[in-house]
């Protein structure tokens, strides 16, 4: 018999739709708390206007997530607790410095850290400690996880709570409240238009002004709406983490792991690196006297300290950027040796690549050392500024990073990503918690008192000291010390600096007296107390900068 192939008359079964997430009472409460957190975040921004509130917000945010998710999931809680402790410690910068750039950087870092901590608590990290997947996981935790959550804050707040069997529950407050808000939102535009049209009547407009503070109402509406958008991200991250409490850590078998991005043959990678390394050898040999002059304190002919230091720094940035790119590309794309089951601990990175990366790191460290020597010559002559401190900090950070890369080539079991992350955190903690501006002014005051008046002179045209005004309230205590120790001096240069310092102190006194408690931190309060003791707070005349 012949079999007749006929199409199956039965319709194909459609793929099962993803079941709707069933919100529990705890989820609804969490959604409201996230909305409150988003609203409070809008209140404390800009951070410089509410330093105490920003610090308290960071503490509550990290401790709350750690307790809510960590105690429930009990996954990677120790790693997350360490991350939360470091982040809260970094947040102390809000109270210990007046440098706005550092405050903003700390805030942005802690935001990313919070999302990554919640991601880690879900058990979704493939590594016990930060490793090769750290950058990808951090990006996923910030940009993907909050958006692809199983539920969203809008449904949690504005819909009915469902029972365990999926049937609608009795609680209807969320739906009613959502409809009320929707009605208000629809009516807002015509109400504003009607109000504007009727405001031709002065009596009516005055009555509205007395009844409603339109500016304050607009600010509240802005904070509520923007806070809801921020809360959606917070809620998405937390809900995803809570629903992945039993997620298993994915550990790929090294014997079955594919090449991934390691597709470039070792011969090709080394052939691409060694000509560059040879060029560096020629460059250093030909310019050896130029670079070694930084260690002897003798400037090359035709160069000033400023030009010599600036050239060294820009050369450093360029060369280090090229070297870092070469090292990263070589590590990511160079093919590894085959996995040997009899030698599971054998390093799979080819020895030739290790030699190339070692030489590359050594050349970079030599250049960093010479650039640091140039910067020291510059600082000894002209004193410290914020840019010089940041440049030196960056040089030291890069030096520590390349030392770690160098150690990795000799000790292949070392977790390079985790080491680099720890190095960065140590340097970031140092520059955040040490009052950089106070350190700068103290150094320059000491140098000026020792006879180098250039450290306290303005670098620009005008009658103001850039170092003092850049420091803000952090420069008050060293400035008062300078005024005390130079009292009675007849040196014209010192007298000129005293006039500028007097104007700075008077301006700081006026600024601090006009700030609220929430805008001040320990540094500002201490400066205000010192100015009050020196009778600067009682003076009415405050010259402009």
């Amino acid at each position: 018999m012949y079999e007749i192939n006929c199409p199956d008359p039965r319709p194909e079964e459609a793929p099962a739709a993803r079941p709707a997430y069933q919100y529990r009472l705890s989820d609804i409460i969490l959604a409201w708390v996230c909305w409150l957190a988003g609203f409070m975040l809008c209140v404390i921004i800009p951070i410089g206007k509410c330093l105490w509130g920003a610090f308290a917000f960071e503490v509550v945010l990290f401790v709350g997530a750690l307790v809510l998710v960590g105690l429930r999931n009990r996954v990677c809680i120790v790693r997350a607790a360490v991350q939360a402790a470091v982040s809260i410690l970094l947040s102390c910068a809000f109270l210990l410095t007046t440098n706005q750039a550092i405050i903003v950087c700390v805030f942005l870092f802690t935001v990313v850290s919070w999302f990554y901590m919640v991601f880690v608590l879900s058990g979704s990290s493939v590594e016990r400690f930060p490793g090769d997947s750290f950058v990808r996981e951090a990006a996923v935790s910030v940009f993907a996880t909050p958006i692809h959550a199983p539920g969203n804050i809008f449904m949690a707040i504005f819909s009915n709570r469902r029972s365990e069997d999926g049937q609608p529950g009795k609680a209807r407050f969320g739906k009613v409240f959502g409809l009320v808000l929707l009605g208000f939102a629809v009516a807002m535009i015509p109400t504003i238009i009607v109000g504007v049209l009727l405001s031709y009547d002065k009596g009516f407009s005055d009555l509205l002004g007395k009844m409603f503070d339109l500016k304050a109402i607009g600010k509240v509406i802005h904070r509520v709406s923007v806070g809801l958008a921020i809360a959606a991200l917070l809620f998405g991250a937390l809900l995803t983490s809570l629903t992945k409490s039993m997620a298993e850590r994915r550990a790929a078998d090294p014997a079955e792991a594919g090449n991934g991005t390691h597709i470039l043959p070792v011969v090709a990678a080394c052939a691409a690196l060694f000509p560059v390394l040879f060029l560096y050898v020629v460059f250093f040999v030909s310019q050896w006297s130029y670079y070694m002059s930084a260690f002897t304190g003798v400037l090359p002919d035709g160069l000033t300290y400023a030009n010599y230091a600036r050239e060294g720094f820009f050369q450093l940035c360029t060369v280090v950027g090229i070297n870092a790119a070469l090292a990263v590309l070589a590590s990511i794309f160079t093919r590894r040796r085959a996995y040997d089951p009899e030698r599971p601990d054998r390093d799979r990175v080819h020895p030739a690549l290790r030699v190339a990366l070692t030489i590359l790191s050594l050349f970079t460290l030599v250049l960093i050392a010479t650039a640091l020597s140039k910067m020291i010559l510059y600082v000894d002559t002209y004193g410290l500024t914020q840019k010089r401190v940041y440049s030196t900090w960056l040089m030291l950070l890069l030096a520590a990073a390349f030392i770690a890369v160098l150690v990795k080539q000799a000790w292949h079991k070392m977790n390079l990503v985790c080491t680099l992350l720890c190095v960065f955190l140590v340097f970031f903690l140092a520059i955040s918690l040490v009052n950089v501006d106070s350190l700068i002014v103290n150094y320059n005051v000491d140098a000026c008192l020792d006879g180098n008046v250039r450290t306290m002179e303005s670098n620009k045209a005008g009658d103001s000291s850039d170092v003092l005004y850049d420091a803000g309230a952090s420069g008050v205590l060293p400035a008062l010390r300078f005024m005390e120790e130079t009292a009675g001096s007849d040196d014209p240069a010192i007298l000129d600096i005293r006039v500028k310092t007097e104007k700075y102190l008077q301006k700081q006194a006026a600024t601090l007296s006009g700030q609220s408690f929430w805008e001040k931190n320990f540094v500002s309060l201490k400066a205000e107390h010192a100015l009050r003791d020196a009778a600067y707070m009682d003076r009415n005349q405050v010259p402009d900068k």
Side-chain angles (χ1 to χ4, degrees):
M1 296 180 65
Y2 294 98
E3 181 179 357
I4 300 176
N5 295 325
C6 297
D8 192 347
R10 292 173 299 177
E12 295 182 1
E13 296 183 0
R18 179 182 177 183
Y21 181 79
Q22 307 300 321
Y23 296 97
R24 298 168 295 181
L25 179 61
S26 59
D27 298 329
I28 297 175
I29 295 175
L30 176 62
W32 282 95
V33 171
C34 288
W35 196 355
L36 176 62
F39 176 81
M40 294 306 300
L41 182 59
C42 294
V43 171
I44 65 174
I45 292 177
I47 304 298
K49 298 295 183 180
C50 192
L51 294 171
W52 292 94
F55 176 74
F57 179 83
E58 295 281 357
V59 173
V60 172
L61 200 65
F62 277 94
V63 174
L66 194 63
V67 172
L68 175 67
V69 185
L71 295 183
R72 179 175 173 178
N73 290 0
R74 300 185 183 277
V75 178
C76 300
I77 190 170
V78 175
R79 174 179 168 184
V82 172
Q83 184 178 344
V86 172
S87 301
I88 293 175
L89 183 60
L90 267 173
S91 300
C92 293
F94 299 152
L95 308 179
L96 300 177
T97 183
T98 57
N99 191 302
Q100 293 299 313
I102 291 177
I103 288 175
V104 171
C105 289
V106 168
F107 176 73
L108 295 177
F109 177 86
T110 53
V111 168
V112 176
S113 177
W114 185 86
F115 281 103
Y116 183 64
M117 184 192 74
V118 174
F119 176 85
V120 169
L121 286 172
S122 70
S124 300
S125 179
V126 300
E127 299 164 324
R128 184 177 182 183
F129 300 105
D132 294 337
S133 301
F134 168 71
V135 176
R136 180 186 61 82
E137 290 182 351
V140 168
S141 67
V142 176
F143 300 107
T145 301
I147 300 175
H148 296 91
N152 63 78
I153 191 172
F154 304 98
M155 294 299 297
I157 292 179
F158 302 130
S159 65
N160 293 339
R161 178 171 64 90
R162 295 182 179 272
S163 58
E164 296 296 332
D165 58 359
Q167 298 299 321
K170 297 181 179 179
R172 298 184 57 84
F173 173 76
K175 185 175 182 179
V176 173
F177 182 71
L179 292 175
V180 171
L181 285 183
L182 179 61
F184 278 132
V186 172
M188 187 177 300
I189 295 177
T191 302
I192 293 175
I193 295 175
V194 171
V196 171
L197 293 176
L198 295 179
S199 62
Y200 74 91
D201 188 289
K202 188 176 185 303
F204 177 72
S205 60
D206 292 341
L207 179 62
L208 285 180
K210 293 178 181 179
M211 293 177 59
F212 307 104
D213 187 349
L214 299 181
K215 185 177 181 180
I217 294 175
K219 184 180 293 185
V220 171
I221 293 175
H222 173 266
R223 289 174 175 174
V224 168
S225 57
V226 176
L228 182 60
I230 297 173
L233 300 177
L234 301 179
F235 180 76
L238 291 172
L239 189 62
T240 302
S241 186
L242 288 171
T243 54
K244 288 187 176 181
S245 58
M246 302 304 294
E248 297 181 357
R249 187 177 294 107
R250 294 168 294 173
D253 186 357
E256 299 178 356
N259 289 327
T261 59
H262 303 284
I263 58 176
L264 186 66
V266 176
V267 175
C270 293
L273 285 176
F274 277 107
V276 179
L277 298 179
F278 176 76
L279 185 63
Y280 282 142
V281 171
V282 175
F283 176 76
F284 278 113
V285 170
S286 62
Q287 299 294 324
W288 189 254
S289 60
Y290 173 83
Y291 281 100
M292 288 302 104
S293 62
F295 296 98
T296 61
V298 179
L299 289 177
D301 294 337
L303 289 179
T304 64
Y305 284 104
N307 292 334
Y308 190 54
R310 280 197 295 265
E311 284 186 8
F313 178 68
F314 289 127
Q315 289 173 359
L316 169 72
C317 291
T318 303
V319 174
V320 169
I322 295 174
N323 291 356
L326 289 174
V328 170
L329 292 175
S331 301
I332 292 177
F333 293 105
T334 303
R335 188 175 298 167
R336 296 183 178 183
R337 293 187 290 183
Y339 177 76
D340 187 356
E342 297 182 358
R343 301 169 58 190
D345 295 334
R346 188 187 71 159
D347 184 24
R348 298 179 63 185
V349 178
H350 199 279
L353 181 61
R354 287 197 175 279
V355 172
L357 292 177
T358 299
I359 298 174
L360 196 65
S361 300
L362 288 174
F363 283 157
T364 305
L365 289 173
V366 171
L367 185 59
I368 291 175
T370 54
L372 282 173
S373 300
K374 296 179 182 184
M375 183 59 70
I376 291 173
L377 291 176
Y378 194 26
V379 170
D380 285 342
T381 305
Y382 297 104
L384 285 174
T385 61
Q386 289 182 352
K387 292 181 179 179
R388 293 165 201 166
V389 170
Y390 298 153
S391 300
T392 304
W393 177 83
L394 180 61
M395 292 178 197
L396 293 174
L397 174 61
L398 292 173
F402 273 95
I403 289 174
V405 173
L406 200 60
V407 173
K408 171 64 176 178
Q409 310 315 313
W411 181 27
H412 69 271
K413 292 184 178 181
M414 170 183 169
N415 187 336
L416 181 60
V417 175
C418 191
T419 303
L420 293 176
L421 180 61
C422 291
V423 168
F424 171 76
L425 288 176
V426 169
F427 275 81
F428 196 28
L429 282 167
I431 200 169
S432 300
L433 300 183
V434 175
N435 193 337
V436 173
D437 294 329
S438 178
L439 177 68
I440 291 172
V441 180
N442 272 302
Y443 177 89
N444 290 346
V445 166
D446 291 337
C448 184
L449 294 175
D450 289 339
N452 187 3
V453 295
R454 284 180 292 187
T455 59
M456 291 295 291
E457 291 178 343
S458 174
N459 295 327
K460 303 174 184 177
D463 60 350
S464 61
S465 176
D466 301 329
V467 172
L468 289 175
Y469 281 96
D470 289 343
S474 298
V476 167
L477 295 182
L480 288 173
R481 179 167 64 88
F482 172 80
M483 296 294 288
E484 180 181 354
E485 297 190 18
T486 58
S489 174
D490 56 358
D491 187 341
I494 295 293
L495 292 176
D496 182 58
I497 297 174
R498 281 179 59 87
V499 172
K500 299 174 184 177
T501 305
E502 179 73 15
K503 293 180 180 180
Y504 157 79
L505 291 172
Q506 293 181 24
K507 187 171 181 61
Q508 286 302 313
T511 301
L512 292 173
S513 63
Q515 290 180 344
S516 65
F517 171 79
W518 298 102
E519 296 180 73
K520 301 173 185 176
N521 55 14
F522 289 123
V523 176
S524 303
L525 292 172
K526 194 173 182 180
E528 184 180 16
H529 180 72
L531 288 170
R532 183 171 287 108
D533 290 344
Y536 280 93
M537 302 298 292
D538 301 329
R539 305 182 187 183
N540 296 324
Q541 298 267 338
V542 181
D544 294 332
K545 178 179 175 181

